[in-house]
Structures are given as C-alpha cells and as structure tokens.
Amino acid sequence: MQVLKLVLNCLNFDFIGSSADESTDDLCTVQIPTSWRTVFLEPETLDLFFNLYHSLPPLLSQLALSCLVQFASTRRSLFSSPERAKYLGNLIRGVKRILENPQGLSDPGNYHEFCRFLARLKTNYQLGELVMVKEYPEVIRLIANFTITSLQHWEFAPNSVHYLLTLWQRMVASVPFVKSTEPHLLDTYAPEITKAFITSRLESVAVVVRDHLDDPLDDTATVFQQLEQLCTVSRCEYEKTCTLLVQLFDQNAQNYQKLLHSASGMTVDMAIQEGRLAWLVYLVGTVVGGRLTYTSTDEHDAMDGELSCRVFQLISLMDTRLPQSSNEKIELAVLWFLDQFRKTYVGDQLQRTSKVIRPRSDVSRVPEKAWKIVKVYARMSEVLGITDDNHVLETFMTKIVTNLKYWGRCEPVISRTLQFLNDLSVGYILLKKLVKIDAVKFMLKNHTSEHFPFLGISDTYTLSDFRCRTTFYTALTRLLMVDLGEDEDEFENFMLPLTVSFETVLQIFNNNFKQEDVKRMLIGLARDLRGIAFALNTKTSYAMLFDWMYPAYLPVLQRAIERWYGEPVCTTPILKLMAELMQNRSQRLNFDVSSPNGILLFREASKMICTYGNQILSLGSLSKDQIYPMKLKGISICYSALKSALCGNYVSFGVFKLYGDNHFDNVLQAFVKMLLSVSHSDLLQYRKLSQSYYPLLECLTQDHMCFITNLEPPVLLHVLTSISEGLTALDTVVSSSCYTSLDSIVTYLFKHIAKEGKKPLGCREAVQAGQRLLHFMQQNPDVLQQMMSILMNTIVFEDCRNQWSVSRPLLGLILLNEKYFSELRASLISTQPLPKQEALAQCFRNLMEGVEQNMSVKNRDRFTQNLSVFRRDVAEALRSNGHMEPCSLDMMS
C-alpha cells in the first residue's frame, strides 16, 4: 500500500507549477519529466500495474487503477508518434482485459477509478488515434456494454456515471474531425447509450415512488450535468433517438390522460406517470439543445419540431388544470425545455434567419439560410399554430405569467421562471419583440401581489423567498426601457405600485404599529428597487429613479437601518440597494452641471453607512458562526458602496470641506471604526469582505492620501499591516489592490522626501501630511522593510502571476531603503552554494542597471523590464544544482 501511494503521489506531483484546479481532474495532463521517459516506454511498466489490479484485494487494486489513470494522462510530447501509438495500444489492451474480467469492478472504489481511467483516455488521445488500435472494435463494444449496464443500475455510484458520459460526449463530438478510414463505430453504439439512459431513467421512477427512495430528479445539479453531456451523444444517429422519444412520449401522455379522466384521483400510478413525463420533458429539451453541439440537418430540425409539439401540448394541458392540480417536477422540466428551445431556435443570432410560415406559402421562395428554422416550425404550425419565433415568444411569456400567478408559493418554480424571464430580457432584438406581446404589457402595468402573489408580504412567504424579486424587476425594467425614452409619466405609472407601498410604510412608521409588516414590506421594496436600479443604465432613466426616491423615500430606508440594524435579513437588502445606487455604470450618474444630485446621493449614502457602522459596533463580541452574517457582511457592503462613490467620478469631495459639510469626514471615520473592529485574519478569510476592503483602500491611497497620513499611528499601522498580509493573498483582486496601494504610499513618501529642502509649491497642509507619514516610517522602519522582503520572495521563489504590479512598489521600496536592500541581497546570496553566488550577485547588479534615483514613468518601466530579465536569469542560474532557499523574514527584519 505504501509503495502504491508513493507512486501515485509521484504521478500526481505538479511538475511545472501550474497549480491546476483539482476539481477539474478530467482535464489534467501529467507533465512527466523527460528523464523518466525510458521507464514509460517499457511495456512492462503498464503491465505491472494492470497485473497488480487483477492480483490485489480492492483496497489496493483501487490504488493501482489510480496510478493507471495518471499513466493514461501522460503528456503527448514525451513520446514520438510510433511510441505514442504503442503506448496507447498497451493501455487499450489493459482496458480490454479488465472488461473481460469485470469481477473487480463490483467494488465501488475500483468502479469509480476505472470510469475515470476511461474518461482520461479520450481526454488525452484523439479519436483518430484510438480507432487505429487493433483492439479498438472489440474494446469500444465492451465499453458500450459496460456503460449500458452502468446506466441501468442508476442507483449505483451515480457520481461515476459522469466520467462515462464524459467519455461518450467527447467521442461523439470528435466524429466530424476524424480523418482515418478506420470505422469509429459510434453510429452503432452512441444510440444504444442514449437509449439506455432514457429507458433506465423512466424505469427508475416506479422504483423511487413505490420504495420511497431519494428521487434523482431532486438533485438538479447532477441531472443538469448529465443532460448536458447526453445532448451531444443523443444527436449521433438522431433519427433513432427521436423515434424512441416520440414513441415513449405518446405512450406516457396517453396513460396520463387516462389517469386524469379516472375517478381514482391522485394515486401511486399518477405519481409514477408524472415522474416519467418529467424525465421525458427533460430529455426532449436535452436533444433539442444538442443541435448547438453537433452537425444538424433539415430533417433533424423537423424532428425537433415534432418533439417540441408534444411538450407544448403538455404545457397547455398542465396549465388548464391550475390551480386545482399541479406537479413541481414537470414544471421544472418544462422550464428546462423552454430554455433549451430558446437557446437553439429563439436566440438573437437566429433572428435574421427566422421566417414566418404562412398557409400555402411557396417554401421555394424561402432563403436557404432560413430553411433550417422553417423546418422546426413546419410541424408546430400545423399542430399548434406556432408559425415563427414571435409566436414562440408569446407562448413563453404566457407560460411565465401563468407560473408567476399560480406558483407563488413554490420557490424553485418561481426562481427558475424568473431566471428564464431574465435570460429572455437580455438582447435588444428580443426585447423589441417582447414588448409587443400582450402578456408583457400586462406585466408592466400590473406588477402587484394581486396578480403575482409572490410579490406579497404575508407570513406564508419566507424572507429568503424575497430574493427572486430583484430578478423579476431587473427583467421588467429592461422591458420598460425599450420604449421609455424621457417619458416621465410612463415611469411614474410603472412605479405606482412601489409608490403605494412606500406611502403605506410611511403611514405605519408614523403611527408606530404593525412593525413586522413594515419590515417585510421594506425588505421587498429594497429588493425591488435594487432590480430596477440595476437595469437603469442611462443617465435619463437613472435621474428619473433618483427624483422618485429623493427626498421622499430614502429617509425611510435610513430609519429602517436605525431601527433594525441588528437584523441582517433587513439591513442587507437595504445596504445592497444603496451600493447599487452608488454604481456609476455606463456613466449614468453624470448629472447635469447645474444638478446637486451627485452630492445629495453621497450625503444619503454617508448617513446610512455612518448609522450602520456606529450601530453595528454596539453589538459587542459575536461568535464565530455569527460574526459574518451579523457584522462582516454588512461591513463589506458598506465598503463596496463607499468604493463605488470614491471611484465613480461624480462627486467633488473637496467641496465638502470647502463648505463645512462633514459628511465626507464622517463616512471616512466610520470606515476606520469598522476596520478596527475586524481582525486581519477575518479580512482575508472572508472573500467578499476582502474583495470590498482592499479595492476601497486602493482608491483611498490613490486619491485621498491626506486622509491616510492623518490617521493615528496605531490605525495607520493597522492599515499597513493589512496591506502587508494581503500581498501574498491567492486572490488576485486582493493582491493587485495591495500592490497598487503600496505603490501609492511609497510614491507619495518618495516625492515628499525629494521635495525636502526645496521651496514648497503646494499648500502647507500637504507638506505637513508628508512630514507626518515620513515621521511614522522613521519610527516604524520594519513596516516597509518587511514588505520589501515579501515582494522579493514573491519575485524569486513564487509563481509571480502579476509581475508588472509587483515591480511598481518594489522600485520605490528599494530607493527608500537602499541599505536594507543591500543587506537583503547579501543575505539571499549567502544562502546559496559558493559556485552560484557570483552568478546570483550578477543578477542583482543587472537588476538595478540603468535605474535612476527617481519615480518617473520612464524609470519605472526600465526597472520593470530589468525585473523580468532578473527572474529569468535567477531561475537559469539556480536550475542546475538544486533550489534556492528562501530567506527568513524574521532574519531580514
């Protein structure tokens, strides 16, 4: 066991430092060193591991198979073409031997590793190479039988099936590119794989219902993944798959209708039939979506129309039975089908080719490009009267409105319906067509809980269900924007339901009763408004929203933060709304020069951030599981909002001090208070917090260094320490912001030192700010020195992915700490063997060659170029005789 684990660890080693994502192991190629080539060329090597698999008990044979997975992933360049073919032949013969003696595959571990092994074969070898192997015809037959058996035992190792479907998906996708004359035989076996998947899923329903087992349909992530893999396989010999689906669909639809007309009511048979119909709808959507992944013909498009007719008929049947009878699984399957049909036949890229089919039209006049789309609608026109994509869009919108009306208490259906609506609302061509549909006009005028119950605030809806309202209003506002222009009356009419809700909130607030209702109403309003604000990307439309909110309703949100600051379920939606309002997306916040709206908006944001920041600190210490939802999440949103304001370029912050307005100073002080309440470990541990804090700090150091220099020494040390710890973060957003922040601070300090002794050209306040920062650095020299050590270690020893960003602050650090840089250089050189020391010393001399004592752009660029050469030269100098040892940061500082 230990020897097999050692071999596996060697084969899993990241030889080139690529830091591959382990979750995508099926895409991995093992970069075997060239010096191992001889071992890999010996056929006895592979034979040894295949023999070990057959000889050892399951616990050990599983490790042998894991090693073979890596052997199958060996890089192409390790072999010449003949050697590679021979190596592949040995692998295929090993597969054949395992499948001919399948006893060991009854062990789940062996079975899973063997499925991975098969998937890796196709990942690393082309279909043209596989068909050239002598044993290929027999092996592909055995793999097909193995796959069919695996699919039929659907309850056994479902995670392993992913690898089998990956194998067949990639095999079928490669068919158009095979140049070999040898038969690939996929046209024989791929339809059998598709048939096995379809029949096994339908047969599983009765077992699940009668034995009360976990339904595979409930695991939507796995279902979607498997269907996306199947879509490519199903289009190979599509006629066979389509014939099977038509037969099964008709048979199950007839049985379902018989049960509907029977007097027995909801029985086990009805549950089984509905489960089968759900699977069939999923499968029809899958094969229709497969058109985008495989070569398609006119006949195939006609078959898509034939299948789609049946699903649209089922939709009509199910909707007529609402609200008395419904089935969530069928509804979710229908939404999958509609989305696949949209992607395939209603997308923006197909609009130019979609043509209307009119009764008795002369199809010979239809352009050749349009003929494919016409084929889809030919059968649908005869059966359903759906003649083109405009009629399909009407059907889509009718279904969306029906779901929103009758499925308000089913969050999965509502969520998926709204996501479908959101996808439809992206794309100008589709939007122009959608706004002409009566169902869309109805939604734009009647978006109230009376017509769409999910917009209600009753206790029957959980507060988490309110999240979908943002998606709803984003899509709805996109539709409104198509013809809105500058029509303020139209906008006021659209906002009328929200106006009524806000007036109700104001009345209840003033009378001080039914506070729980107010809270739920405000949560809904905040989510609604965030969706609206997200979709308003023009200056005119955003101005309409701001005029509607200010000054009437923004203070209401302020009062909500004051009252319920300790309830994240209320504060989070409101803070996110404010953060969205502060986003200057598409320059929408560039108000007219005579407008004070930019400053007014910032003042309101400042009040809200200060209120929340001061109140949240009063909560005291929180447990580990409560600190993020109760405190850190809100702080991260506040930081994100403040960052948007500082970088939005729509507020002149100097105006505040000029006119004695303290809103800017207050919000900066709130930023400091919240920061001091957060530990450095939490700053980096919580991704959303770090991705809002560090970009905010980057803005402050670039444009507001006077604020940074005015910080009390302990606070400034806290900020600089956070930068130091963020320099080595794996998140590039964090590390890049740290590099830029450090560069701004170092540049500011260097410029101040360069001006000493000269007559100051700026104001005395700026000079004093520079002196304060210089004094702090003189009192704490180890701060910048430690950061220089970190950057040098990153350059020399780490996989430096953002070399340009690292080089900018490093130059300033070197110029400010030349003595320490010399000590660091000597320390690094002394850790190496004597033969390497001179080469390494020369690398350091070349690093500073031509670099002057200034921070001009030209000088920085020169240093950046030198640094690139430095990294390459250091790697070459140390490559031959081992690795360079990193210096201890403690020793350096």
Side-chain angles (χ1 to χ4, degrees), residues 303-474:
M303 294 174 199
D304 285 348
E306 194 73 38
L307 287 169
S308 299
C309 278
R310 287 161 169 76
V311 179
F312 282 116
Q313 286 176 314
L314 178 64
I315 292 173
S316 298
L317 175 63
M318 298 295 294
D319 287 351
T320 56
R321 302 181 64 237
L322 291 171
Q324 290 78 15
S325 178
S326 59
N327 185 278
E328 178 182 334
K329 291 174 183 174
I330 294 181
E331 289 299 330
L332 293 175
V334 163
L335 289 167
W336 165 266
F337 163 78
L338 294 178
D339 195 46
Q340 297 301 309
F341 192 93
R342 173 192 67 84
K343 293 175 182 176
T344 308
Y345 291 112
V346 193
D348 272 2
Q349 70 275 17
L350 298 173
Q351 300 309 306
R352 299 182 184 89
T353 62
S354 180
K355 301 293 179 183
V356 175
I357 302 176
R358 306 197 182 281
R360 302 187 181 187
S361 63
D362 182 1
V363 294
S364 64
R365 296 181 181 177
V366 178
E368 184 178 353
K369 274 188 173 182
W371 181 244
K372 280 184 176 291
I373 309 300
V374 167
K375 278 285 189 178
V376 174
Y377 293 117
R379 180 63 174 158
M380 294 170 64
S381 176
E382 296 173 10
V383 178
L384 305 172
I386 297 178
T387 58
D388 63 358
D389 56 344
N390 288 322
H391 285 183
V392 171
L393 288 173
E394 290 179 12
T395 305
F396 285 175
M397 293 309 304
T398 301
K399 179 60 181 170
I400 289 170
V401 170
T402 301
N403 282 5
L404 297 181
K405 186 175 182 179
Y406 293 110
W407 287 90
R409 296 184 180 181
C410 181
E411 194 277 334
V413 173
I414 288 294
S415 178
R416 293 265 287 279
T417 300
L418 290 175
Q419 187 56 53
F420 180 55
L421 173 63
N422 187 63
D423 293 340
L424 280 174
S425 68
V426 178
Y428 183 72
I429 296 176
L430 278 185
L431 282 172
K432 290 291 286 185
K433 293 187 175 187
L434 286 170
V435 293
K436 298 175 183 177
I437 297 173
D438 291 338
V440 172
K441 296 176 182 177
F442 175 82
M443 291 172 67
L444 288 171
K445 293 180 180 178
N446 299 280
H447 45 98
T448 63
S449 59
E450 178 184 355
H451 298 281
F452 304 117
F454 78 96
L455 294 174
I457 62 166
S458 67
D459 295 339
T460 57
Y461 302 104
T462 64
L463 293 175
S464 61
D465 292 344
F466 286 17
R467 294 175 183 172
C468 60
R469 295 172 61 151
T470 302
T471 307
F472 175 68
Y473 272 98
T474 297

Side-chain angles (χ1 to χ4, degrees), residues 231 371 521 575 624 654 662 664 688 714:
C231 71
W371 181 244
M521 197 175 293
L575 291 173
K624 189 68 176 176
N662 59 2
F664 183 51
K688 289 185 177 179

